[in-house]
């Protein structure tokens, strides 16, 4: 058995044997075959090359036999030269087949990886926001990386291993039986000597490998949490760098120790298989030599039989772990299919229409809303829990009714947790209502395409998210065909053009992860510039000025004036000026609109808004008066 065969066997036996007890979902295998359909021609070529390679590999020892028996022992130089040339030619052909096989295998494998990744990524992008609020980002990334890679091995590594090993074993056994049935039987008797140690050591290797993966995942999670800006800031402000370093060092040491164990057990397995192969070769040479001396076996036949041994035990040992290999790839495929099978709760209707270009009103018609059950929007495996609740959440909104006519501003005020952000999220159809209807331009948002709906709506949230790329790329995300003149016009209107012009790289400045190289007020103004570049008909401001200092808030307010001019807007208000300018104020408490009217009307009523004004807005009015 050669080193490469022993290496493949060692890797095979590191796989987790617990997958063999896993029950695959019905129809999994049939669905897997659908992914192979686009590559059926390449797969046919691939399998053909494997079979040809197995046959040519079995022919080589027969040429050795002929060289010795028909050439060397008979003193026939021409025979020796001719057969040696045949061996060389066979080696060239085998190498060419190997390269072609690798190319075809890579084409199939990488094609499958591309197909699966693209499908999973596109599918995840269609999931509702509730899905992302529950699932672990690392688990999703693992599906796109580890599980997709494992799934593609079903058609490359595992398929070639199964077909190749079966074909090689059949060809080798056939040739060996034709040369000497006695030695072939003796070789078969020795097979348990290879399989049993591989099973025993392999079981330990699988346990060690699983533990190493778990420890590496823990270490990776630590790095992910501590290396982002928020995590690094938390570590520094609490003064715990040394404690974090010590904890990481402990985990890294455990990974190191497991790595040493894994290396030792792998070497033990490979050494054991190599030693047994050497002993088997010695046995065949001894038995064959005795038969050759007795004249019942040719010398060339003995050499050929020993050459066949190296081609026999490797495939048989690998096939002994076949169930684990196959189930590992099938489970990876199932995990990918599990994500693809989770249907988005918010989806376009089959007959969804495009929202008309002039749609600019917003109407809530007796809207009720409760968050869906966790089992409807997520997967237990993506949350690292045993199971998900199947009971829907409590009702959050109750009988919300109001209308924002084109160009009007509706202000939402009320205590934290009252349901204001949920109301604004329903306008963009981040969730679907559980009762009543939300209409834009008179059209139920469930009847129009999500793309056309979101083209009509611009949103600025409390935490303006920026991608880790340039200012230009972040702005063009809203309108990819915008020119530089369009961008600068939006930046001017958002009160941030002077800052961008002062940067050494201007629009090509990289903002850093989540825009952390910018202040909160600067990020908010860039978010407003992005909204202005999009030029939506409807604007939703979800606490866009919360947690800003007075100077930043004033700059953002000036930018918002440009953003709101001539547009229908829903604003969760924290500024008195916003409330006073609103055409209608809705006081939301406990998921209900408890008061509505203009600023003056609600103050005169002396109800909930008047109390809110005294506690939240009067201080702003006093500060403004003193500043004047």
């Amino acid at each position: 058995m050669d080193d490469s065969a022993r290496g493949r066997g060692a890797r095979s036996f590191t796989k987790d044997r617990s997958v063999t007890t896993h029950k695959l979902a019905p129809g999994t295998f049939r669905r897997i075959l659908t992914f192979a359909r686009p590559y059926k021609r390449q797969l046919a070529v691939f399998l053909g090359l494997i079979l040809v390679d197995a046959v040519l590999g079995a022919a080589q020892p027969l040429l050795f036999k002929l060289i010795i028996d028909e050439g060397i022992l008979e003193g026939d130089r021409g025979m020796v030269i001719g057969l040696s040339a045949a061996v060389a030619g066979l080696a060239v052909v085998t190498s060419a087949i190997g390269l072609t096989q690798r190319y075809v295998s890579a084409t199939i494998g990488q094609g499958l990886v591309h197909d699966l990744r693209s499908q999973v990524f596109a599918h995840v992008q269609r999931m509702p926001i509730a899905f992302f609020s529950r699932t672990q980002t690392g688990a999703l990334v693992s599906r796109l990386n580890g599980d997709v890679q494992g799934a593609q091995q079903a058609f490359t590594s595992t398929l070639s291993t199964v077909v190749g090993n079966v074909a090689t074993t059949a060809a080798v056994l056939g040739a060996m039986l034709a040369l000497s049935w006695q030695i072939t039987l003796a070789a078969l008797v020795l097979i348990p000597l290879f399989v049993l140690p591989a099973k025993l050591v392999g079981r330990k290797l699988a346990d060690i490998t699983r533990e190493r993966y778990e420890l590496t995942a823990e270490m990776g999670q630590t790095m992910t949490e501590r290396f982002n800006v928020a995590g690094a800031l938390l570590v520094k402000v609490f003064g715990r760098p040394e404690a974090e370093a010590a904890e990481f060092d402990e985990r890294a040491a455990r990974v190191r120790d497991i790595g040493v164990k894994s290396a030792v057990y792998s070497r033990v397995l490979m050494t054991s298989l190599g030693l047994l192969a050497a002993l088997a070769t010695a046995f065949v040479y001894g038995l064959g030599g005795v038969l050759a001396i007795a004249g019942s076996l040719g010398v060339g036949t003995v050499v050929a039989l020993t050459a066949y041994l190296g081609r026999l035990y490797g495939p048989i040992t690998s096939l002994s772990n076949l169930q684990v290999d196959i189930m590992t790839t099938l489970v990876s495929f199932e995990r990918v299919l599990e994500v693809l099978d989770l249907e988005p709760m918010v989806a376009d209707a089959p007959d969804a229409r495009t929202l008309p270009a002039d749609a600019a009103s917003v109407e809530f018609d007796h809207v009720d809303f409760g968050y869906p059950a966790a089992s409807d929007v997520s997967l237990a495996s993506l949350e690292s829990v045993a199971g998900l609740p199947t009971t829907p959440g409590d009702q959050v909104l109750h009988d919300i009714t109001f209308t924002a006519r084109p160009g009007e501003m509706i202000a939402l005020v009320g205590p934290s947790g009252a349901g204001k952000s949920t109301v604004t999220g329903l306008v963009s159809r981040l969730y679907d209502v559980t009762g009543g209807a939300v209409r834009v331009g008179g059209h139920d948002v469930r009847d129009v395409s999500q793309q056309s709906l979101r083209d009509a709506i611009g949103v600025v949230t409390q935490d303006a998210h920026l991608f880790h790329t340039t200012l230009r790329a972040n702005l063009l995300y809203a309108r990819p065909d915008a020119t530089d003149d369009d961008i600068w016009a939006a930046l001017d209107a958002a009160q941030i053009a002077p800052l961008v012009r002062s940067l050494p790289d201007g629009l090509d400045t990289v903002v850093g992860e989540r825009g952390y190289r910018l202040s909160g007020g600067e990020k908010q103004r860039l978010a407003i510039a992005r909204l202005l570049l999009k030029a939506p008909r409807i604007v939703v401001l979800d606490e866009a000025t919360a947690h800003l200092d007075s100077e930043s808030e004033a700059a953002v307010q000036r930018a918002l004036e440009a953003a709101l001019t001539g547009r229908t807007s829903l604003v969760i208000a924290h500024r008195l000026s916003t409330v006073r300018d609103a055409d209608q104020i809705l006081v939301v408490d406990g998921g209900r609109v408890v008061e509505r009217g203009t600023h003056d009307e609600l103050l005169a009523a002396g109800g909930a808004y008047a109390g809110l004004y005294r506690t939240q807005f009067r201080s702003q009015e006093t500060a403004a008066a003193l500043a004047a």
Side-chain angles (χ1 to χ4, degrees):
M1 190 189 307
D2 58 28
D3 289 340
S4 62
R6 287 196 294 270
R8 288 192 298 271
R11 288 192 296 273
S12 175
F13 280 94
T14 62
K15 293 179 179 176
D16 187 359
R17 281 171 161 71
S18 64
V19 296
T20 58
T21 62
H22 180 77
K23 300 296 183 183
L24 291 172
T28 298
F29 188 73
R30 176 180 49 80
R31 294 184 62 190
I32 289 173
L33 293 179
T34 62
F35 286 93
R37 190 170 294 126
Y39 305 95
K40 57 185 178 183
R41 292 182 180 177
Q42 292 97 320
L43 281 168
V45 172
F46 182 51
L47 294 175
L49 290 171
I50 291 173
L51 294 174
V52 172
D53 186 56
V55 172
L56 293 180
Q60 191 179 54
L62 293 177
L63 292 176
F64 294 157
K65 171 187 178 300
L66 293 174
I67 289 174
I68 294 172
D69 289 344
E70 305 296 331
I72 297 175
L73 296 181
E74 296 295 330
D76 189 340
R77 290 185 178 87
M79 177 71 75
V80 171
I81 294 172
L83 290 174
S84 297
V87 171
L90 191 63
V92 171
V93 172
T94 302
S95 298
I97 289 175
L99 289 173
T100 307
Q101 182 180 326
R102 183 69 186 113
Y103 170 76
V104 176
S105 171
T107 301
I108 298 170
Q110 294 307 314
L112 280 166
V113 168
H114 169 266
D115 295 346
L116 287 171
R117 277 186 179 154
S118 297
Q119 286 190 41
V120 173
F121 186 87
H123 186 74
V124 169
Q125 290 291 298
R126 294 194 297 269
M127 300 305 292
I129 202 68
F131 171 83
F132 297 98
S133 68
R134 297 192 61 92
T135 58
Q136 294 180 324
T137 304
L140 274 175
V141 173
S142 177
R143 298 294 168 97
L144 280 166
N145 289 330
D147 287 319
V148 164
Q149 290 283 1
Q152 65 93 13
Q153 289 179 5
F155 294 109
T156 54
S157 176
T158 302
L159 182 63
S160 64
T161 298
V162 173
V163 176
N165 287 339
V166 170
T168 299
T169 302
V172 167
L173 280 176
M176 289 181 69
L177 286 169
L179 293 175
S180 172
W181 65 268
Q182 298 96 330
I183 291 181
T184 302
L185 290 179
L188 292 174
V189 170
L190 295 174
I191 287 176
L193 295 178
F194 287 84
V195 174
L196 290 177
K199 287 282 189 181
L200 294 174
V201 179
R203 188 173 293 113
K204 188 65 178 177
L205 259 177
D207 293 340
I208 291 174
T209 302
R210 182 169 60 251
E211 185 176 358
R212 186 177 76 235
Y213 285 162
E214 291 172 355
L215 291 173
T216 302
E218 290 178 9
M219 194 166 61
Q221 180 68 19
T222 299
M223 289 187 286
T224 300
E225 290 181 345
R226 272 61 173 182
F227 286 174
N228 64 59
V229 178
L233 181 62
L234 183 64
V235 171
K236 291 184 182 300
V237 297
F238 279 91
R240 291 184 54 83
E242 290 79 10
E244 291 289 341
E247 184 177 347
F248 183 82
D249 179 72
E250 180 183 349
R251 290 182 176 177
R254 290 164 63 196
V255 173
R256 174 201 62 199
D257 295 340
I258 287 292
V260 172
K261 281 186 180 181
S262 178
V264 170
Y265 275 103
S266 295
R267 177 51 60 181
V268 166
L269 178 56
M270 293 183 66
T271 301
S272 299
L273 295 177
L275 177 60
L276 289 169
L279 294 175
T281 300
F283 173 75
V284 170
Y285 265 126
L287 178 58
V290 170
L291 294 175
I293 291 172
S296 59
L297 206 63
V299 175
T301 301
V302 176
V303 173
L305 286 168
T306 55
Y308 279 127
L309 283 181
R311 301 172 183 269
L312 177 65
Y313 292 128
I316 289 178
T317 303
S318 181
L319 286 172
S320 69
N321 207 47
L322 181 60
Q323 184 185 11
V324 177
D325 292 341
I326 292 176
M327 284 300 299
T328 298
T329 58
L330 293 182
V331 168
S332 292
F333 238 119
E334 187 182 48
R335 284 165 59 83
V336 173
L337 294 174
E338 184 184 31
V339 176
L340 293 175
D341 286 343
L342 182 63
E343 290 295 330
M345 285 200 68
V346 178
D348 284 349
D351 57 347
R353 305 185 302 272
T354 299
L355 187 68
D358 60 350
S361 64
V362 176
E363 178 188 358
F364 274 59
D365 184 5
H366 300 285
V367 167
D368 294 329
F369 175 76
Y371 287 103
S375 58
D376 291 332
V377 296
S378 184
L379 296 170
S381 59
L382 291 177
E383 299 188 31
S384 298
V385 295
L388 293 176
T390 58
T391 304
D394 295 334
Q395 190 167 330
V396 178
L397 299 180
H398 308 265
D399 196 28
I400 303 292
T401 298
F402 68 88
T403 299
R405 297 178 180 84
E408 286 188 343
M409 177 195 293
I410 302 295
L412 303 175
V413 301
S416 177
K420 304 185 298 295
S421 294
T422 304
V423 170
T424 58
L426 292 175
V427 179
S428 300
R429 205 187 169 199
L430 298 180
Y431 302 93
D432 271 341
V433 300
T434 53
V438 176
R439 300 186 182 93
V440 172
H443 301 271
D444 192 316
V445 295
R446 292 167 293 189
D447 296 333
V448 299
S449 68
Q450 294 179 76
Q451 184 62 54
S452 65
L453 175 66
R454 289 166 188 170
D455 285 344
I457 299 172
V459 180
V460 178
T461 61
Q462 175 181 336
D463 182 17
H465 187 86
L466 298 176
F467 293 118
H468 183 50
T469 182
T470 63
L471 287 170
R472 186 194 309 275
N474 273 289
L475 292 169
L476 289 177
Y477 196 78
R479 186 177 146 202
D481 61 345
T483 65
D484 277 7
D485 290 341
D486 296 329
I487 292 175
W488 284 112
L491 291 171
D492 281 325
Q495 309 289 308
I496 198 171
L499 170 69
V500 177
R501 288 192 178 95
S502 70
L503 298 173
D505 296 324
L507 289 173
D508 295 318
T509 301
V510 176
V511 301
E513 184 181 2
R514 297 181 65 187
Y516 266 106
R517 293 178 63 184
L518 304 171
S519 71
E522 290 165 351
K523 285 198 296 182
Q524 287 297 86
R525 279 177 280 164
L526 277 172
I528 294 169
R530 186 165 57 189
L531 178 142
L532 290 169
L533 200 60
K534 182 179 180 180
R537 302 185 293 278
I538 299 168
V539 173
V540 174
L541 301 181
D542 187 353
E543 302 185 89
T545 59
H547 310 313
L548 296 179
D549 59 73
S550 57
E551 183 178 353
S552 296
E553 189 172 8
V556 170
Q557 282 298 127
R558 290 193 297 272
L560 287 176
E561 289 177 8
L564 297 180
T565 301
R567 294 184 170 96
T568 309
S569 54
L570 267 67
V571 182
I572 297 180
H574 288 276
R575 294 283 297 177
L576 178 62
S577 58
T578 303
V579 175
R580 280 180 165 170
D581 292 340
D583 295 285
Q584 186 178 184
I585 300 169
L586 304 180
V587 182
V588 183
D589 193 5
R592 291 180 168 84
V593 176
V594 295
E595 285 185 328
R596 68 180 71 212
T598 64
H599 171 70
D600 293 335
E601 290 171 348
L602 292 175
L603 276 185
Y609 179 80
L612 187 66
Y613 169 78
R614 286 192 295 271
T615 58
Q616 182 173 340
F617 296 130
R618 179 176 287 175
S619 59
Q620 296 176 16
E621 188 174 44
T622 302
L626 291 174

